[in-house]
């Protein structure tokens, strides 16, 4: 059923967000990212003591193309 919508103010829509008004069958926000992180990067908690004597993250990516998201449902 169609909807009548009054004034709408959109301040921000994130890169993988969706702003939609009206009828819809399917909404699929899709995004991808590549994350490089060194040793101990994603540790969380209270009172952590992390000892990494030497940490180097290899960010060399020779393949050029990663897995696509074209046909993800």
């Amino acid at each position: 059923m169609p909807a009548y919508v009054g004034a709408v103010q959109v301040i921000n829509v994130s890169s993988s967000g969706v702003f939609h008004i009206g009828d819809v069958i399917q909404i699929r926000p899709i995004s991808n990212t590549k994350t490089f992180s060194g040793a101990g990067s994603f540790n969380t908690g209270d009172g952590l003591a992390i000892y990494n004597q030497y940490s180097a993250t290899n960010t060399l990516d020779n393949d050029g193309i990663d897995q696509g998201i074209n046909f993800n449902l």
Side-chain angles (χ1 to χ4, degrees):
M1 172 178 266
Y4 294 101
V5 178
V8 175
Q9 180 181 12
V10 177
I11 304 297
N12 187 17
V13 176
S14 68
S15 62
S16 63
V18 173
F19 174 75
H20 178 79
I21 295 176
D23 298 337
V24 66
I25 292 176
Q26 187 176 42
I27 296 178
R28 299 180 302 160
I30 297 175
S31 68
N32 63 352
T33 184
K34 183 182 290 189
T35 303
F36 297 106
S37 60
S41 296
F42 297 113
N43 292 329
T44 58
D46 296 330
L48 288 175
I50 308 298
Y51 300 101
N52 296 318
Q53 299 300 319
Y54 178 75
S55 175
T57 302
N58 181 9
T59 59
L60 181 63
D61 188 10
N62 290 331
D63 61 3
I65 298 174
D66 293 321
Q67 180 178 352
I69 59 172
N70 297 338
F71 301 108
N72 289 349
L73 297 177

